[in-house]
Amino acid sequence: MSSPINEWSHSHQERAKRILASYPDPRSAIMPLLYVASLEHGCVSPNAMREVAAVTGVTAAQVESVASFYTMFKRDEVGTYLVSVCTSISCY
């Protein structure tokens, strides 16, 4: 069975393979792979999360828990410009 990332563009496949090779445990590559998946798909879609889960050996729910925790991972497509406003105490 082929890896889900084999359907990505060549440059994103190569980047994902380098990322996976740089971590002794594939689970440690979830965040950087989510970033590459978002570049491939335009956002971190449910399909992108399943692809990352398949190559890292975790469940899609575990990948979704990472993607939903960090606001930098957009789970819906965004427009040309994205304005983010920090409202946490550290930004005040």
Side-chain angles (χ1 to χ4, degrees), residues 14-87:
E14 292 303 314
R15 189 170 183 179
K17 288 174 185 175
R18 283 193 310 272
I19 289 168
L20 284 166
S22 68
Y23 290 95
D25 184 353
R27 292 179 301 168
S28 301
I30 290 174
M31 286 184 64
L33 287 174
L34 280 172
Y35 177 72
V36 176
S38 71
L39 295 175
E40 179 69 22
H41 294 282
C43 64
V44 181
S45 65
N47 188 44
M49 289 186 260
R50 283 190 295 273
E51 293 168 346
V52 170
V55 297
T56 57
V58 299
T59 66
Q62 289 171 306
V63 174
E64 185 176 5
S65 70
V66 173
S68 64
F69 181 80
Y70 294 100
T71 59
M72 65 189 168
F73 296 121
K74 304 304 179 204
R75 289 179 285 152
D76 295 308
E77 289 189 33
V78 295
T80 304
Y81 300 101
L82 174 66
V83 177
S84 297
V85 179
C86 179
T87 58

Side-chain angles (χ1 to χ4, degrees), residues 86-92:
C86 179
T87 58
S88 72
I89 192 78
S90 62
C91 295
Y92 290 134

